[in-house]
Amino acid sequence: MKRYHHVDFTDLPPIDCCCGTTRRAFVDQADAPASAHYLEVRDEPTTHYHKKTTEIYLVLEGEGHLELDGELVPVKPLSAVMIKPGCRHRAIGKLKVINLPIPKHDDNDFFYDA
């Protein structure tokens, strides 16, 4: 039994999400403690939050902002931000990001204000 999993993001199907387009690695691994997402941010992402998930955003390309509980935090390549559960957030700008959700991605842990 292998003790690793290898993924090439270009082999994963693009998925539309509230942030833009993402490719999600390791979500199909039952025992994965986290997942890894390649995210291309769209022009007007939707503000949302998670009740259980911490996310780490690592900016690969582009410059813009992360809106975090109403505060605009500037980001550029190699900026990293840890977003804790409950923090309302969205990325703003033409960005390419690696997003590391911990625990792994769960469609049921996305919440939006009315």
Side-chain angles (χ1 to χ4, degrees):
M1 182 170 120
K2 289 191 224 176
R3 292 184 289 169
Y4 68 90
H5 298 279
H6 173 260
V7 172
D8 183 332
F9 281 106
T10 61
D11 293 336
L12 300 174
I15 299 168
D16 287 331
C17 69
C18 66
C19 300
T21 303
T22 188
R23 296 171 188 263
R24 297 178 178 146
F26 313 122
V27 294
D28 60 341
Q29 302 297 315
D31 61 347
S35 53
H37 305 193
Y38 174 72
L39 170 64
E40 293 185 39
V41 177
R42 71 166 161 237
D43 291 335
E44 290 295 324
T46 304
T47 301
H48 64 282
Y49 64 98
H50 311 283
K51 291 183 179 178
K52 296 183 275 183
T53 305
T54 294
E55 292 182 305
I56 297 173
Y57 277 47
L58 172 61
V59 178
L60 301 175
E61 292 183 24
E63 293 189 16
H65 293 85
L66 291 183
E67 184 177 351
L68 305 166
D69 282 339
E71 181 181 345
L72 290 177
V73 176
V75 294
K76 61 183 182 179
L78 297 182
S79 294
V81 178
M82 181 172 55
I83 303 168
K84 294 183 179 181
C87 180
R88 272 90 175 142
H89 62 279
R90 69 181 181 138
I92 302 170
K94 189 171 181 171
L95 302 170
K96 293 183 180 177
V97 174
I98 293 294
N99 174 17
L100 303 170
I102 305 160
K104 72 179 178 178
H105 175 81
D106 177 358
D107 282 332
N108 295 315
D109 193 30
F110 278 74
F111 299 92
Y112 307 89
D113 293 328

